[in-house]
Amino acid sequence: MPTELRQIVFENGELQKALAQHFVDQPDRLPPGTIQAVGISQDELEIEVQMANEAGGAATATLIPAEHVAAALISYCRANTIPLPRDAKKFLVVSGDNLALRIVLSGERVIEIIEDPG
């Protein structure tokens, strides 16, 4: 059975934009301020977000679990009309200094046999 792999790579700026858009209505997930930088944790299970305080205070670091980051990237794709197959498995992978959303489609080919009644 063939398997199709597709990978969408998000550069740092796109990742910041996706996180900001996704968490705009969830103030409990990110502290107030503007995303200044993002980094991938050593174990690659979380994303560290540096928030610049709008009042000029020190930047705040927050860890976001990978599943929330994946949800943010999927929302970003939908908002920007990047097609994602609904039934595909989706994974986060590190691609150099960037984060990628890997889409895996396993297809089963169905061959229908039609018998001639005559």
XYZ file of all heavy atoms in Angstrom:
891
model
N 0.856 -1.160 0.000
C 0.000 0.000 0.000
C 0.910 1.232 0.000
O 1.797 1.363 0.828
C -0.925 -0.104 1.206
C -1.214 1.124 1.934
S -2.362 0.969 3.333
C -2.114 -0.632 3.990
N 0.720 2.145 -0.942
C 1.564 3.333 -1.018
C 1.243 4.320 0.109
O 0.120 4.382 0.595
C 1.216 3.941 -2.374
C -0.138 3.423 -2.686
C -0.250 2.081 -2.010
N 2.267 5.050 0.501
C 2.114 6.075 1.519
C 2.619 7.393 0.946
O 3.694 7.448 0.364
C 2.928 5.721 2.781
O 2.431 4.495 3.296
C 2.802 6.797 3.842
N 1.841 8.433 1.096
C 2.220 9.759 0.617
C 2.667 10.598 1.810
O 1.994 10.648 2.838
C 1.027 10.429 -0.066
C 1.314 11.829 -0.539
C 0.097 12.512 -1.144
O -0.913 11.831 -1.411
O 0.162 13.733 -1.334
N 3.809 11.258 1.668
C 4.318 12.165 2.689
C 4.355 13.570 2.115
O 4.771 13.770 0.983
C 5.743 11.791 3.109
C 5.947 10.450 3.775
C 7.430 10.193 3.977
C 5.241 10.421 5.107
N 3.933 14.507 2.922
C 4.004 15.912 2.540
C 4.487 16.671 3.752
O 4.136 16.337 4.884
C 2.622 16.399 2.122
C 2.647 17.711 1.414
C 1.286 17.985 0.814
N 0.866 19.272 1.322
C -0.363 19.633 1.558
N -1.355 18.809 1.354
N -0.640 20.814 2.010
N 5.306 17.679 3.533
C 5.841 18.429 4.657
C 5.725 19.923 4.365
O 6.136 20.380 3.309
C 7.310 18.033 4.860
C 7.917 18.599 6.113
C 9.181 17.855 6.487
O 9.105 16.688 6.836
N 10.305 18.508 6.417
N 5.160 20.633 5.318
C 5.031 22.085 5.202
C 5.969 22.691 6.247
O 5.787 22.465 7.447
C 3.574 22.539 5.451
C 2.629 21.833 4.478
C 3.459 24.050 5.332
C 1.169 22.006 4.806
N 6.966 23.423 5.783
C 7.974 23.995 6.680
C 7.569 25.423 7.033
O 7.278 26.230 6.155
C 9.375 23.964 6.025
C 10.412 24.579 6.959
C 9.757 22.538 5.662
N 7.572 25.705 8.333
C 7.228 27.035 8.835
C 8.501 27.704 9.332
O 9.138 27.211 10.267
C 6.215 26.933 9.983
C 4.885 26.393 9.552
C 4.662 25.023 9.492
C 3.859 27.244 9.193
C 3.439 24.516 9.078
C 2.632 26.750 8.780
C 2.424 25.381 8.722
N 8.867 28.790 8.694
C 10.006 29.560 9.171
C 9.619 30.235 10.477
O 8.443 30.315 10.829
C 10.434 30.570 8.120
C 10.986 29.905 6.869
C 11.407 30.895 5.809
O 11.151 32.117 5.975
O 11.983 30.456 4.812
N 10.592 30.742 11.185
C 10.377 31.303 12.512
C 9.279 32.365 12.522
O 8.415 32.362 13.395
C 11.697 31.861 13.048
C 11.675 32.020 14.535
O 10.975 32.880 15.037
N 12.441 31.207 15.233
N 9.290 33.268 11.569
C 8.280 34.327 11.512
C 6.872 33.786 11.306
O 5.912 34.275 11.909
N 6.750 32.761 10.455
C 5.434 32.138 10.222
C 4.950 31.411 11.462
O 3.764 31.433 11.781
C 5.516 31.162 9.050
C 5.764 31.831 7.721
C 6.097 30.828 6.637
O 6.898 29.908 6.894
O 5.547 30.981 5.543
N 5.876 30.754 12.162
C 5.521 30.059 13.404
C 5.029 31.068 14.438
O 4.006 30.847 15.099
C 6.719 29.278 13.934
C 6.535 28.548 15.263
C 5.374 27.566 15.211
C 7.829 27.840 15.648
N 5.715 32.187 14.563
C 5.287 33.241 15.501
C 3.892 33.742 15.135
O 3.040 33.915 16.007
C 6.271 34.405 15.477
C 7.597 34.100 16.110
C 8.533 35.302 16.090
O 8.081 36.443 16.086
N 9.822 35.044 16.069
N 3.670 33.965 13.858
C 2.371 34.458 13.395
C 1.263 33.439 13.686
O 0.184 33.802 14.155
C 2.456 34.731 11.893
C 1.339 35.521 11.320
C 1.632 35.753 9.837
C 0.785 36.821 9.261
N 1.053 37.024 7.834
N 1.545 32.160 13.417
C 0.559 31.107 13.661
C 0.208 31.023 15.143
O -0.970 30.913 15.509
C 1.084 29.761 13.166
N 1.215 31.094 16.013
C 0.965 31.037 17.453
C 0.183 32.256 17.929
O -0.759 32.128 18.713
C 2.287 30.923 18.218
C 3.048 29.605 18.036
C 4.431 29.708 18.643
C 2.273 28.445 18.625
N 0.555 33.434 17.446
C -0.144 34.657 17.847
C -1.611 34.609 17.433
O -2.497 34.960 18.216
C 0.549 35.879 17.248
N -1.881 34.157 16.207
C -3.262 34.077 15.721
C -4.064 33.044 16.507
O -5.220 33.267 16.839
C -3.283 33.704 14.235
C -2.857 34.810 13.325
C -2.777 34.362 11.866
O -2.971 33.200 11.530
N -2.467 35.308 10.997
N -3.435 31.915 16.796
C -4.144 30.826 17.468
C -4.476 31.167 18.921
O -5.540 30.829 19.410
C -3.314 29.549 17.407
C -3.998 28.353 17.970
N -5.065 27.737 17.342
C -3.795 27.655 19.109
C -5.460 26.705 18.070
N -4.718 26.631 19.139
N -3.563 31.830 19.602
C -3.738 32.085 21.027
C -4.301 33.469 21.341
O -4.395 33.843 22.496
C -2.408 31.886 21.769
C -1.958 30.451 21.785
C -0.787 30.069 21.168
C -2.721 29.475 22.412
C -0.371 28.748 21.179
C -2.324 28.147 22.423
C -1.142 27.788 21.801
N -4.708 34.214 20.326
C -5.231 35.561 20.561
C -6.469 35.530 21.459
O -6.670 36.430 22.273
C -5.513 36.297 19.227
C -6.725 35.712 18.516
C -5.698 37.781 19.459
N -7.279 34.505 21.354
C -8.491 34.388 22.167
C -8.294 33.522 23.404
O -9.253 33.171 24.074
C -9.637 33.810 21.331
C -10.027 34.724 20.188
O -9.881 35.951 20.332
O -10.472 34.213 19.143
N -7.046 33.165 23.703
C -6.751 32.305 24.845
C -5.672 32.946 25.721
O -4.535 32.483 25.751
C -6.279 30.927 24.357
C -7.272 30.233 23.456
C -6.721 28.932 22.916
O -6.047 28.197 23.613
N -7.002 28.644 21.657
N -5.999 34.008 26.423
C -4.982 34.727 27.198
C -4.356 33.903 28.321
O -3.282 34.238 28.813
C -5.746 35.928 27.756
C -7.176 35.545 27.696
C -7.325 34.580 26.563
N -5.000 32.811 28.718
C -4.430 31.973 29.764
C -3.273 31.122 29.249
O -2.469 30.618 30.021
C -5.507 31.074 30.379
C -6.220 30.214 29.342
O -6.480 30.716 28.225
O -6.511 29.049 29.652
N -3.147 30.961 27.937
C -2.074 30.143 27.338
C -0.763 30.919 27.187
O 0.305 30.346 27.307
C -2.489 29.628 25.969
C -3.692 28.743 26.018
C -3.276 27.315 25.959
N -4.481 26.505 25.858
C -4.585 25.321 26.386
N -3.597 24.802 27.033
N -5.703 24.649 26.268
N -0.866 32.192 26.861
C 0.320 33.029 26.685
C 0.199 34.268 27.560
O -0.878 34.846 27.658
C 0.460 33.487 25.223
C 0.878 32.467 24.183
C 0.924 33.103 22.806
C 2.224 31.856 24.523
N 1.307 34.694 28.157
C 1.243 35.940 28.924
C 1.015 37.121 27.978
O 1.264 37.008 26.777
C 2.614 36.010 29.602
C 3.473 35.037 28.910
C 2.593 34.060 28.207
N 0.531 38.227 28.500
C 0.290 39.383 27.633
C 1.597 39.891 27.027
O 2.655 39.766 27.618
C -0.334 40.420 28.574
C -0.049 39.950 29.955
C 0.202 38.482 29.887
N 1.494 40.426 25.831
C 2.665 40.961 25.152
C 2.730 40.463 23.724
O 1.781 39.886 23.195
N 3.875 40.680 23.114
C 4.108 40.307 21.730
C 5.156 39.202 21.675
O 6.150 39.260 22.401
C 4.620 41.531 20.935
O 3.692 42.598 21.101
C 4.748 41.222 19.468
N 4.934 38.231 20.816
C 5.916 37.162 20.669
C 7.187 37.758 20.072
O 7.173 38.348 18.995
C 5.383 36.021 19.792
C 4.161 35.368 20.448
C 6.480 34.974 19.543
C 3.504 34.292 19.608
N 8.279 37.583 20.783
C 9.561 38.130 20.371
C 10.409 37.068 19.672
O 11.096 37.346 18.703
C 10.288 38.658 21.607
C 11.548 39.420 21.359
C 12.082 39.989 22.667
O 11.811 39.485 23.741
N 12.855 41.047 22.554
N 10.359 35.837 20.178
C 11.146 34.743 19.611
C 10.521 33.415 20.000
O 9.807 33.320 20.998
C 12.588 34.824 20.128
N 10.791 32.402 19.190
C 10.363 31.041 19.511
C 11.561 30.112 19.336
O 12.437 30.362 18.515
C 9.192 30.553 18.627
C 7.936 31.318 18.916
C 9.534 30.624 17.164
N 11.584 29.073 20.137
C 12.649 28.088 20.052
C 12.107 26.715 20.378
O 11.099 26.569 21.071
N 12.772 25.709 19.881
C 12.354 24.324 20.108
C 13.123 23.787 21.302
O 14.342 23.924 21.382
C 12.626 23.482 18.853
C 11.855 24.089 17.670
C 12.234 22.025 19.069
C 12.304 23.613 16.327
N 12.402 23.179 22.255
C 13.050 22.651 23.449
C 13.960 21.480 23.093
O 13.840 20.881 22.024
C 11.998 22.210 24.480
O 11.280 21.102 23.997
N 14.871 21.138 24.000
C 15.827 20.059 23.768
C 15.138 18.743 23.456
O 15.577 17.990 22.598
C 16.735 19.873 24.996
C 17.769 20.956 25.156
C 18.918 20.785 24.172
O 18.755 20.310 23.061
N 20.098 21.183 24.593
N 14.068 18.432 24.174
C 13.385 17.156 23.962
C 12.412 17.207 22.780
O 11.786 16.216 22.439
C 12.654 16.710 25.223
C 11.596 17.707 25.686
O 11.314 18.690 24.972
O 11.045 17.498 26.776
N 12.291 18.375 22.150
C 11.427 18.596 20.982
C 9.953 18.320 21.256
O 9.178 18.080 20.352
C 11.914 17.783 19.775
C 13.304 18.160 19.334
C 13.802 17.361 18.142
O 13.090 16.453 17.675
O 14.915 17.649 17.689
N 9.558 18.368 22.524
C 8.164 18.143 22.887
C 7.424 19.444 23.178
O 6.211 19.429 23.355
C 8.075 17.216 24.105
C 8.637 15.810 23.902
C 8.575 15.028 25.205
C 7.881 15.083 22.806
N 8.171 20.538 23.244
C 7.569 21.837 23.552
C 8.259 22.923 22.728
O 9.365 22.747 22.250
C 7.740 22.172 25.038
C 7.039 21.197 25.965
C 7.369 21.459 27.418
O 8.553 21.589 27.756
O 6.429 21.519 28.208
N 7.562 24.029 22.597
C 8.118 25.220 21.970
C 8.235 26.279 23.053
O 7.291 26.516 23.807
C 7.187 25.732 20.838
C 7.051 24.692 19.731
C 7.671 27.060 20.283
C 8.314 24.384 18.987
N 9.397 26.898 23.136
C 9.584 27.985 24.100
C 9.308 29.305 23.398
O 9.875 29.586 22.337
C 11.012 27.990 24.644
C 11.219 29.072 25.683
C 12.610 29.051 26.290
O 13.227 27.975 26.336
O 13.068 30.126 26.715
N 8.425 30.074 23.968
C 8.025 31.356 23.397
C 8.505 32.469 24.324
O 8.209 32.456 25.520
C 6.484 31.429 23.229
C 6.059 32.776 22.689
C 5.988 30.311 22.339
N 9.248 33.410 23.762
C 9.692 34.595 24.501
C 8.707 35.717 24.197
O 8.522 36.090 23.039
C 11.102 35.019 24.057
C 12.181 34.020 24.372
C 12.523 33.999 25.850
O 12.390 35.001 26.549
N 12.951 32.856 26.326
N 8.069 36.220 25.257
C 7.086 37.287 25.112
C 7.687 38.603 25.560
O 8.209 38.699 26.676
C 5.845 36.984 25.957
C 5.134 35.691 25.608
S 4.402 35.686 23.981
C 3.137 36.922 24.161
N 7.626 39.619 24.689
C 8.069 40.958 25.047
C 6.919 41.652 25.754
O 5.808 41.715 25.240
C 8.480 41.733 23.801
N 7.187 42.155 26.940
C 6.176 42.849 27.728
C 5.938 44.220 27.116
O 6.869 44.978 26.883
C 6.663 42.970 29.179
C 5.602 43.482 30.113
O 4.693 44.191 29.699
N 5.727 43.128 31.376
N 4.678 44.554 26.866
C 4.349 45.831 26.240
C 4.652 47.011 27.145
O 4.826 48.138 26.690
C 2.886 45.838 25.803
C 2.623 44.857 24.684
C 1.165 44.787 24.290
O 0.333 45.471 24.903
O 0.863 44.020 23.364
N 4.747 46.787 28.443
C 5.041 47.866 29.390
C 6.552 48.120 29.487
O 6.982 48.953 30.258
C 4.483 47.517 30.764
N 7.342 47.378 28.705
C 8.781 47.592 28.713
C 9.529 46.768 29.745
O 10.715 46.948 29.943
N 8.846 45.859 30.395
C 9.491 45.005 31.391
C 10.302 43.898 30.730
O 10.478 43.850 29.515
N 10.798 43.004 31.542
C 11.609 41.897 31.045
C 10.758 40.923 30.240
O 9.570 40.763 30.491
C 12.253 41.171 32.222
N 11.393 40.268 29.275
C 10.706 39.268 28.464
C 10.356 38.060 29.335
O 11.065 37.731 30.277
C 11.587 38.845 27.301
N 9.248 37.431 29.001
C 8.770 36.266 29.739
C 8.860 35.039 28.842
O 8.457 35.082 27.683
C 7.295 36.465 30.146
O 7.159 37.703 30.819
C 6.810 35.349 31.025
N 9.371 33.932 29.374
C 9.448 32.684 28.612
C 8.290 31.774 29.015
O 7.992 31.633 30.196
C 10.770 31.989 28.869
N 7.655 31.181 28.029
C 6.547 30.267 28.251
C 6.755 29.033 27.385
O 7.155 29.155 26.229
C 5.209 30.934 27.860
O 5.039 32.118 28.617
C 4.043 30.012 28.102
N 6.470 27.858 27.942
C 6.552 26.624 27.170
C 5.165 26.227 26.685
O 4.207 26.228 27.453
C 7.147 25.494 28.018
C 8.617 25.653 28.384
C 9.042 24.542 29.342
C 9.498 25.651 27.146
N 5.066 25.897 25.404
C 3.794 25.466 24.817
C 3.959 24.019 24.369
O 4.870 23.710 23.602
C 3.411 26.354 23.618
C 3.283 27.809 24.069
C 2.117 25.870 22.989
C 3.010 28.766 22.944
N 3.075 23.122 24.831
C 3.162 21.718 24.422
C 2.990 21.553 22.907
O 2.280 22.327 22.256
C 2.012 21.036 25.161
C 1.636 21.978 26.252
C 1.983 23.356 25.773
N 3.632 20.530 22.376
C 3.630 20.290 20.931
C 2.220 20.166 20.353
O 1.963 20.637 19.249
C 4.440 19.038 20.620
N 1.291 19.565 21.100
C -0.058 19.390 20.547
C -0.754 20.732 20.327
O -1.533 20.892 19.389
C -0.921 18.452 21.395
C -1.112 18.859 22.827
C -0.085 18.266 23.789
O 0.947 17.755 23.353
O -0.335 18.347 25.010
N -0.454 21.722 21.174
C -1.046 23.054 20.986
C -0.380 23.777 19.818
O -1.032 24.521 19.092
C -0.927 23.882 22.262
C -1.708 23.319 23.406
N -3.080 23.224 23.406
C -1.312 22.791 24.584
C -3.491 22.676 24.537
N -2.429 22.390 25.266
N 0.909 23.532 19.639
C 1.625 24.119 18.506
C 1.078 23.526 17.210
O 0.832 24.249 16.237
C 3.143 23.878 18.626
C 3.869 24.381 17.393
C 3.687 24.545 19.887
N 0.862 22.211 17.191
C 0.298 21.562 16.006
C -1.082 22.130 15.684
O -1.388 22.415 14.519
C 0.217 20.054 16.215
N -1.894 22.332 16.700
C -3.228 22.920 16.490
C -3.112 24.323 15.907
O -3.885 24.707 15.020
C -4.004 22.947 17.801
N -2.135 25.092 16.376
C -1.926 26.443 15.855
C -1.510 26.406 14.387
O -1.995 27.210 13.577
C -0.864 27.168 16.685
N -0.648 25.465 14.018
C -0.201 25.368 12.626
C -1.327 24.890 11.715
O -1.469 25.376 10.589
C 1.007 24.438 12.524
C 2.275 24.947 13.216
C 3.401 23.944 13.057
C 2.681 26.313 12.700
N -2.152 23.974 12.203
C -3.294 23.514 11.413
C -4.286 24.659 11.211
O -4.788 24.872 10.107
C -3.955 22.286 12.076
C -3.013 21.081 11.978
C -5.319 21.983 11.453
C -3.407 19.901 12.848
N -4.540 25.435 12.249
C -5.426 26.603 12.128
C -4.855 27.616 11.145
O -5.587 28.209 10.351
C -5.606 27.274 13.491
O -6.281 26.433 14.371
N -3.545 27.814 11.206
C -2.870 28.744 10.291
C -3.046 28.282 8.847
O -3.326 29.094 7.961
C -1.393 28.837 10.662
C -0.600 29.795 9.816
C -0.587 31.160 10.096
C 0.164 29.337 8.750
C 0.151 32.040 9.327
C 0.910 30.211 7.981
C 0.905 31.566 8.270
O 1.636 32.427 7.503
N -2.889 26.984 8.608
C -3.070 26.446 7.253
C -4.492 26.684 6.767
O -4.706 27.113 5.631
C -2.739 24.954 7.223
S -0.976 24.592 7.351
N -5.458 26.412 7.610
C -6.861 26.621 7.226
C -7.142 28.087 6.921
O -7.825 28.415 5.948
C -7.787 26.129 8.326
C -7.834 24.629 8.410
C -8.809 24.150 9.464
N -8.781 22.703 9.542
C -8.977 22.022 10.647
N -9.243 22.643 11.773
N -8.916 20.713 10.639
N -6.622 28.976 7.755
C -6.861 30.415 7.568
C -6.184 30.946 6.307
O -6.632 31.936 5.739
C -6.360 31.185 8.788
N -5.124 30.287 5.863
C -4.378 30.750 4.696
C -4.585 29.840 3.486
O -3.765 29.833 2.565
C -2.891 30.854 5.040
C -2.641 31.998 5.987
O -2.619 33.148 5.588
N -2.484 31.691 7.270
N -5.661 29.087 3.492
C -6.071 28.184 2.408
C -4.945 27.254 1.937
O -4.763 27.030 0.756
C -6.674 28.958 1.212
O -5.699 29.853 0.688
C -7.921 29.708 1.622
N -4.205 26.728 2.893
C -3.215 25.693 2.602
C -3.938 24.363 2.825
O -4.354 24.076 3.943
C -1.987 25.820 3.525
C -1.321 27.180 3.319
C -1.008 24.677 3.285
C -0.262 27.512 4.356
N -4.120 23.570 1.777
C -4.929 22.351 1.921
C -4.269 21.304 2.817
O -3.080 21.026 2.708
C -5.068 21.836 0.484
C -3.957 22.462 -0.271
C -3.609 23.744 0.417
N -5.070 20.758 3.714
C -4.644 19.670 4.588
C -5.699 18.573 4.525
O -6.867 18.835 4.790
C -4.521 20.136 6.046
C -3.434 21.121 6.391
C -3.544 21.529 7.853
C -2.072 20.531 6.116
N -5.296 17.354 4.197
C -6.272 16.264 4.184
C -6.770 15.980 5.598
O -5.983 15.863 6.537
C -5.482 15.067 3.651
C -4.193 15.605 3.162
C -3.983 16.943 3.775
N -8.052 15.900 5.761
C -8.666 15.705 7.081
C -8.250 14.379 7.719
O -7.990 14.304 8.909
C -10.186 15.769 6.951
C -10.927 15.699 8.250
C -12.423 15.817 8.034
N -12.777 16.983 7.263
C -13.270 18.104 7.785
N -13.477 18.188 9.073
N -13.562 19.125 7.025
N -8.183 13.315 6.934
C -7.927 11.991 7.481
C -6.441 11.644 7.604
O -6.115 10.544 8.038
C -8.611 10.927 6.614
C -10.123 11.077 6.635
O -10.650 11.615 7.627
O -10.782 10.671 5.663
N -5.574 12.554 7.226
C -4.141 12.271 7.280
C -3.619 12.390 8.701
O -4.158 13.124 9.524
C -3.391 13.240 6.381
N -2.552 11.645 8.979
C -1.867 11.793 10.260
C -0.940 12.994 10.140
O -0.314 13.199 9.101
C -1.066 10.536 10.583
C -1.929 9.333 10.836
C -1.086 8.124 11.164
C -1.991 6.919 11.362
N -1.224 5.697 11.582
N -0.872 13.771 11.199
C -0.064 14.983 11.182
C 0.945 14.926 12.321
O 0.602 14.590 13.447
C -0.955 16.215 11.294
C -1.907 16.332 10.103
C -3.056 17.254 10.385
C -4.080 17.240 9.282
N -4.993 16.126 9.335
N 2.200 15.279 12.012
C 3.285 15.234 12.984
C 4.081 16.526 12.910
O 4.201 17.117 11.841
C 4.248 14.075 12.675
C 3.606 12.727 12.615
C 3.140 12.211 11.413
C 3.467 11.960 13.759
C 2.550 10.968 11.356
C 2.876 10.704 13.707
C 2.423 10.213 12.504
N 4.641 16.944 14.032
C 5.589 18.047 14.042
C 6.983 17.462 13.940
O 7.317 16.508 14.636
C 5.486 18.852 15.344
C 4.245 19.710 15.526
C 4.319 20.428 16.874
C 4.093 20.713 14.408
N 7.805 18.035 13.074
C 9.187 17.599 12.939
C 10.082 18.827 12.848
O 9.682 19.875 12.336
C 9.411 16.693 11.705
C 8.702 15.369 11.851
C 8.989 17.374 10.431
N 11.289 18.694 13.375
C 12.265 19.773 13.280
C 12.953 19.645 11.934
O 13.414 18.572 11.556
C 13.281 19.693 14.437
C 14.328 20.773 14.306
C 12.561 19.785 15.768
N 13.011 20.743 11.207
C 13.638 20.771 9.894
C 14.669 21.892 9.899
O 14.345 23.051 9.654
C 12.579 20.995 8.814
O 13.162 21.049 7.537
N 15.904 21.552 10.253
C 16.938 22.572 10.397
C 16.606 23.458 11.579
O 16.404 22.983 12.688
N 16.502 24.754 11.347
C 16.125 25.708 12.393
C 14.637 25.993 12.394
O 14.170 26.871 13.109
C 16.888 27.026 12.204
C 18.361 26.902 12.511
O 18.735 25.940 13.210
O 19.137 27.753 12.051
N 13.905 25.284 11.570
C 12.479 25.538 11.410
C 11.661 24.367 11.932
O 12.179 23.295 12.207
C 12.156 25.772 9.931
C 12.910 26.939 9.357
O 12.986 28.002 9.971
N 13.487 26.764 8.196
N 10.370 24.601 12.027
C 9.441 23.562 12.444
C 8.579 23.210 11.238
O 8.170 24.091 10.475
C 8.566 24.076 13.589
C 7.757 23.048 14.349
C 8.678 22.036 15.043
C 6.895 23.721 15.389
N 8.314 21.928 11.054
C 7.519 21.489 9.913
C 6.335 20.659 10.392
O 6.397 19.993 11.419
C 8.376 20.673 8.957
N 5.281 20.723 9.620
C 4.105 19.895 9.830
C 4.168 18.811 8.764
O 4.107 19.099 7.564
C 2.837 20.735 9.688
C 1.511 20.076 9.994
C 1.449 19.629 11.453
C 0.371 21.038 9.700
N 4.352 17.566 9.187
C 4.431 16.450 8.249
C 3.068 15.787 8.166
O 2.468 15.452 9.175
C 5.485 15.448 8.681
C 5.642 14.297 7.691
C 6.811 13.420 8.010
N 8.038 14.165 7.782
C 9.216 13.795 8.272
N 9.309 12.716 9.014
N 10.282 14.513 8.032
N 2.603 15.601 6.937
C 1.308 15.010 6.683
C 1.552 13.646 6.034
O 2.276 13.549 5.041
C 0.456 15.898 5.748
C 0.171 17.247 6.424
C -0.851 15.232 5.393
C 0.985 18.349 5.909
N 0.960 12.607 6.601
C 1.152 11.250 6.094
C -0.202 10.663 5.711
O -1.101 10.559 6.532
C 1.835 10.356 7.165
C 2.021 8.941 6.640
C 3.155 10.951 7.609
N -0.311 10.290 4.449
C -1.521 9.652 3.930
C -1.183 8.224 3.530
O -0.301 7.996 2.716
C -2.022 10.373 2.680
C -2.802 11.648 2.891
C -2.914 12.413 1.600
C -4.169 11.329 3.424
N -1.848 7.294 4.142
C -1.692 5.900 3.740
C -2.919 5.531 2.942
O -4.033 5.564 3.451
C -1.573 4.991 4.963
O -0.391 5.267 5.657
N -2.707 5.190 1.711
C -3.845 4.883 0.850
C -3.991 3.405 0.590
O -3.018 2.705 0.393
N -5.189 2.964 0.629
C -5.486 1.612 0.231
C -6.198 1.688 -1.109
O -7.163 2.447 -1.268
C -6.391 0.920 1.249
C -5.717 0.640 2.559
C -6.629 -0.157 3.465
O -7.391 -1.002 2.973
O -6.570 0.084 4.664
N -5.685 0.964 -2.014
C -6.290 0.983 -3.334
C -7.375 -0.082 -3.376
O -7.121 -1.252 -3.118
C -5.227 0.709 -4.381
C -5.738 0.873 -5.761
C -4.625 0.771 -6.743
N -5.211 0.749 -8.070
C -4.580 0.353 -9.126
N -3.346 -0.038 -9.046
N -5.181 0.367 -10.286
N -8.558 0.350 -3.718
C -9.687 -0.572 -3.791
C -9.978 -0.837 -5.257
O -10.184 0.094 -6.036
C -10.937 0.018 -3.090
C -12.111 -0.923 -3.220
C -10.625 0.312 -1.646
N -9.959 -2.091 -5.615
C -10.282 -2.469 -6.991
C -11.643 -3.156 -6.968
O -11.842 -4.175 -6.310
C -9.213 -3.419 -7.555
C -7.851 -2.726 -7.553
C -9.597 -3.873 -8.979
C -6.712 -3.625 -7.927
N -12.576 -2.575 -7.677
C -13.924 -3.129 -7.699
C -14.056 -4.029 -8.933
O -13.728 -3.626 -10.046
C -14.956 -1.991 -7.788
C -16.368 -2.487 -7.709
C -17.358 -1.347 -7.694
O -16.984 -0.237 -7.307
O -18.504 -1.583 -8.050
N -14.496 -5.226 -8.706
C -14.668 -6.170 -9.804
C -16.148 -6.255 -10.111
O -16.965 -6.567 -9.245
C -14.116 -7.570 -9.430
C -12.632 -7.442 -9.116
C -14.391 -8.565 -10.529
C -12.014 -8.709 -8.599
N -16.468 -5.939 -11.341
C -17.867 -5.981 -11.773
C -18.019 -7.165 -12.728
O -17.332 -7.243 -13.745
C -18.278 -4.671 -12.473
C -18.060 -3.502 -11.530
C -19.719 -4.752 -12.958
C -18.269 -2.155 -12.160
N -18.912 -8.054 -12.380
C -19.136 -9.215 -13.226
C -20.189 -8.914 -14.269
O -21.188 -8.239 -13.978
C -19.574 -10.407 -12.376
C -18.483 -10.894 -11.450
C -18.903 -12.129 -10.683
O -19.737 -12.901 -11.185
O -18.383 -12.301 -9.581
N -19.960 -9.386 -15.441
C -20.915 -9.232 -16.535
C -22.021 -10.270 -16.369
O -21.757 -11.482 -16.363
C -20.199 -9.426 -17.878
C -21.090 -9.107 -19.067
O -22.263 -8.745 -18.840
O -20.596 -9.228 -20.187
N -23.290 -9.837 -16.174
C -24.374 -10.784 -15.946
C -24.717 -11.621 -17.181
O -25.397 -12.624 -17.084
C -25.556 -9.913 -15.532
C -25.273 -8.576 -16.094
C -23.782 -8.469 -16.173
N -24.272 -11.199 -18.350
C -24.690 -11.866 -19.566
C -23.796 -12.921 -19.966
O -23.810 -13.978 -20.344
